[in-house]
Amino acid sequence: MSWTKLLCSHREVQLIGTLNGGQTFRWTHNKDNDEWIGIFSKTVWKLRQSNDGLQYQVIGSLLSKSNKNNSKKATVAKDVNTELFTSLLEKYFRLDVDLVRYYKEWSEADELFKSAGQQFYGVRMLAQEPVENLFSFICSQNNHISRISSMVEKLCTQYGEEICSHEGTTYFSFPEVQKLCEPKVEAQLRKLGFGYRAKFIQKSAEQIVEWGGEDWFRTLQDMKYKDAKEELMKLHGIGPKVADCICLMSLNHLEALPVDTHVYQIAAQNYLPHLRGKKNVTDKMYMEIGDHFRKLYGDMAGWAHTVLFCADLKKFQQNGKEDESVKPKRRRIK
C-alpha cells in the first residue's frame, strides 16, 4: 500500500504530542514502526512522520465510493480521492496555520512557554468534528484516558457504522447524533458501564437534535466565544471545562481555555501564586486563569496552553517520549 506525503517541516507537526496529549481518544501508536492508526471523518487513517513531511494511508473510508459496496474490505484511496483525503487531513491538523511563527510569538511573551516549546514543538490543535468531540469529553468527566478511549470505542461499536476491517480489527465511525438521542440509549449505555454519563449523553443528544443537529454547531462557530460557551452549557451535563474543550477543539474559538487539575496547577505554580493551595476552583478563579492566559498569548491562548499542558503530563517528561508506565488522568475541577 503506497503512502501519500504532505510536505511540512517536522517542527510544524509532532504527532505524539498532538495525537496522544488528551485532545482525541481514537488514535493508537505502533511503537515498532512508529506509525499511528486512527479514525476521523468516517475514515481509517494510518500516519507516519518524516523530517520533511507527514505521510498517510487511507485504510478504509465510508467517503470512498470503492468502499461503499464492501465495507468489510480495507480499501486504498484512488487517485480521484487523493485530493479529498489530503484536504481532510490538512484541515484536521490545521496545516494552514504557520505554527513556527506562533511558537516564536508565544516564546517571546513567556519564558515558560519558550522552555516547553523547545521540546514540545509542533503540537497542533486538531480541528475535530463537534459531535464526536462533545460526547468524547462527556465521557472524560472524572475519568482517565484509557477508560475514556474504551467508552468512545463502545459508542462507536454500538451506534456507529462499520468502516472496514484491518489486521484483525474492525473499525467504526463515530455515531450520528440522531443515534444517541433515543430514550433507550441511556439504559443501554448504563449496561455498558457509562454510569451517570449515560444520561448526559442521551439527554444532550436529544437537545442537539431538537435544536437543529449539525446546523446548531455551525451557528455556534459563528458566535463570539463567550456566547457559544453559554449555549453549550445549556446542554445536559455540560459544564465550563467541557464547553471550553468543544469551543477550542471543534468550533474554532482558539481563545477558549479548558481549566482542569493540570491547568490549575500550572497557573498556580507559575503564574498566579495567590491561587496556590485551593481545594476547589470557583467560577471566578476559572475565569481568572483563562483571562490571564488570553492576555498573555492572545486570541490563540487555548492552543498555546495546550503545549504547556503536554509538557506538564508525566508520560511525556522522559525526553518528550511517552512513558507507558504512567496513565495520567484528565480530572474535572469541581
Side-chain angles (χ1 to χ4, degrees):
M1 187 179 294
S2 61
W3 293 81
T4 302
K5 177 185 280 190
L6 280 69
L7 291 175
C8 59
S9 165
H10 72 287
R11 303 294 299 187
E12 285 280 352
V13 183
Q14 183 185 147
L15 290 180
I16 191 164
T18 302
L19 299 180
N20 206 23
Q23 292 187 55
T24 179
F25 308 101
R26 300 205 72 194
W27 290 93
T28 56
H29 186 206
N30 184 331
K31 295 179 178 62
D32 293 335
N33 55 19
D34 200 20
E35 293 176 357
W36 295 80
I37 190 164
I39 308 100
F40 73 90
S41 291
K42 299 183 179 182
T43 301
V44 182
W45 308 78
K46 189 175 284 188
L47 303 178
R48 67 185 185 191
Q49 197 161 11
S50 61
N51 285 334
D52 64 344
L54 187 63
Q55 297 176 305
Y56 75 87
Q57 292 177 350
V58 172
I59 305 302
S61 178
L62 298 178
L63 306 179
S64 170
K65 292 181 180 179
S66 61
N67 198 38
K68 288 182 179 178
N69 294 328
N70 190 350
S71 63
K72 293 185 178 181
K73 291 184 178 180
T75 61
V76 183
K78 305 299 181 183
D79 290 341
V80 69
N81 289 321
T82 298
E83 183 177 349
L84 168 65
F85 292 123
T86 296
S87 175
L88 287 172
L89 200 63
E90 289 174 340
K91 181 180 178 182
Y92 185 67
F93 280 97
R94 300 182 192 265
L95 293 182
D96 59 324
V97 175
D98 182 353
L99 195 53
V100 170
R101 177 173 72 86
Y102 280 103
Y103 263 61
K104 183 175 183 294
E105 292 179 6
W106 298 331
S107 295
E108 290 171 352
D110 180 19
E111 283 296 321
L112 183 60
F113 183 94
K114 183 177 181 179
S115 175
Q118 291 173 356
Q119 182 173 334
F120 295 91
Y121 56 84
V123 175
R124 304 199 75 90
M125 179 55 57
L126 298 172
Q128 300 184 60
E129 295 163 316
V131 170
E132 177 174 344
N133 188 226
L134 186 149
F135 291 106
S136 295
F137 275 92
I138 287 179
C139 293
S140 78
Q141 297 180 34
N142 295 312
N143 220 341
H144 58 76
I145 287 178
S146 62
R147 189 159 179 257
I148 300 165
S149 299
S150 174
M151 285 183 171
V152 171
E153 289 309 316
K154 286 177 182 178
L155 280 177
C156 297
T157 303
Q158 189 78 14
Y159 302 105
E161 189 176 354
E162 183 178 331
I163 300 172
C164 67
S165 292
H166 177 68
E167 296 180 348
T169 300
T170 302
Y171 296 92
F172 295 83
S173 65
F174 199 87
E176 304 289 339
V177 68
Q178 290 81 0
K179 293 285 187 70
L180 299 174
C181 73
E182 298 176 8
K184 62 182 180 181
V185 167
E186 180 183 346
Q188 291 171 339
L189 292 180
R190 285 188 182 276
K191 289 180 180 178
L192 292 172
F194 281 69
Y196 66 86
R197 303 170 193 85
K199 183 176 182 179
F200 291 174
I201 290 169
Q202 190 275 321
K203 293 296 185 184
S204 290
E206 192 173 67
Q207 288 173 286
I208 292 167
V209 170
E210 181 182 342
W211 296 342
E214 296 282 351
D215 290 337
W216 179 68
F217 284 110
R218 282 188 277 272
T219 66
L220 299 187
Q221 288 180 316
D222 295 331
M223 289 181 181
K224 292 182 178 180
Y225 154 58
K226 289 185 179 180
D227 293 335
K229 180 178 177 179
E230 285 183 11
E231 289 300 306
L232 285 165
M233 289 174 63
K234 294 177 183 178
L235 292 170
H236 200 91
I238 301 294
K241 183 248 181 176
V242 173
D244 272 329
C245 287
I246 301 157
C247 283
L248 175 63
M249 301 173 189
S250 297
L251 302 180
N252 209 35
H253 295 300
L254 298 175
E255 69 269 45
L257 201 140
V259 178
D260 66 0
T261 302
H262 291 289
V263 176
Y264 160 70
Q265 290 173 346
I266 292 169
Q269 293 302 316
N270 300 285
Y271 300 93
L272 301 169
H274 63 282
L275 298 182
R276 291 176 187 169
K278 304 295 184 183
K279 293 183 178 179
N280 295 301
V281 174
T282 64
D283 291 343
K284 182 179 178 181
M285 290 165 59
Y286 188 106
M287 185 60 68
E288 181 181 0
I289 292 169
D291 285 345
H292 175 83
F293 288 110
R294 280 185 279 273
K295 183 177 180 180
L296 184 61
Y297 296 131
D299 60 5
M300 291 175 65
W303 190 328
H305 199 281
T306 296
V307 179
L308 296 186
F309 181 89
C310 285
D312 187 63
L313 289 180
K314 291 181 180 179
K315 70 173 179 177
F316 287 144
Q317 290 178 359
Q318 298 294 325
N319 300 317
K321 304 253 185 217
E322 182 181 9
D323 181 354
E324 292 183 291
S325 66
V326 180
K327 293 182 178 178
K329 293 185 179 182
R330 292 205 67 173
R331 295 173 299 210
R332 182 178 64 170
I333 286 288
K334 296 182 180 178

